[in-house]
Amino acid sequence: YTLQDLLNRNGHRWNKISYLKFDIEGHELAGLPVWFRSGALDNVQQFGFEYHLESSRDTAGLLRTIRDIVVEGDFRPNMHDLNGYNVACTRPKLKISPFFNYAEAVFK
C-alpha cells in the first residue's frame, strides 16, 4: 500500500494530521518525493522520520530530498538527531565509525 492508500482506507485523507512519524527502514528517500507529488502530505502539519546513510550517494540523495521538502512542500527542518555519533566520539574502542549512518529529522 502507498501512504495515500493507507490514509484513504483508514478515513484520514481529509483529516488534519498534527504529526506523522514513519520508519520505513532505508526507503524514506524513495517514498518522500512520491508522497509530496501524490498530495498524501497535504494535511500533515509536521512529520518525522529516521534515515540511513550508507554511502555518499545516499547522503546526496538525502540533501536533494531535503531541498525538495523545503521548496515544494513548504516544510522547514525543525530537529535532527545524529544517533550513534556521540558514542563513536566518546568510546573509540567500540570501532564505530564517527560518520553516522542513522539519524532522525522532524519537519514542520
Side-chain angles (χ1 to χ4, degrees):
Y1 298 104
T2 66
L3 178 59
Q4 182 104 3
D5 291 336
L6 293 172
L7 292 171
N8 288 334
R9 290 172 64 94
N10 290 290
H12 297 299
R13 178 62 187 106
W14 304 111
N15 294 347
K16 177 179 83 171
I17 299 172
S18 298
Y19 186 78
L20 175 68
K21 165 76 174 175
F22 52 92
D23 177 2
I24 51 177
E25 298 304 323
H27 300 283
E28 301 81 13
L29 301 182
L32 272 169
V34 173
W35 301 340
F36 279 111
R37 284 192 297 273
S38 73
L41 298 176
D42 287 351
N43 296 326
V44 175
Q45 294 180 316
Q46 181 172 259
F47 65 89
F49 63 96
E50 69 179 44
Y51 52 91
H52 303 265
L53 302 173
E54 301 295 334
S55 69
S56 59
R57 181 176 170 197
D58 292 341
T59 303
L62 174 67
L63 294 174
R64 280 191 301 277
T65 299
I66 289 173
R67 178 199 61 209
D68 294 345
I69 289 169
V70 170
V71 172
E72 296 174 25
D74 198 30
F75 284 92
R76 300 293 176 261
N78 186 43
M79 185 275 303
H80 72 281
D81 179 25
L82 308 178
N83 295 294
Y85 184 78
N86 290 332
V87 172
C89 291
T90 59
R91 300 183 65 195
K93 291 182 181 178
L94 291 178
K95 300 194 186 293
I96 299 172
S97 168
F99 180 75
F100 66 95
N101 69 352
Y102 162 78
E104 294 189 34
V106 175
F107 289 80
K108 68 176 187 172

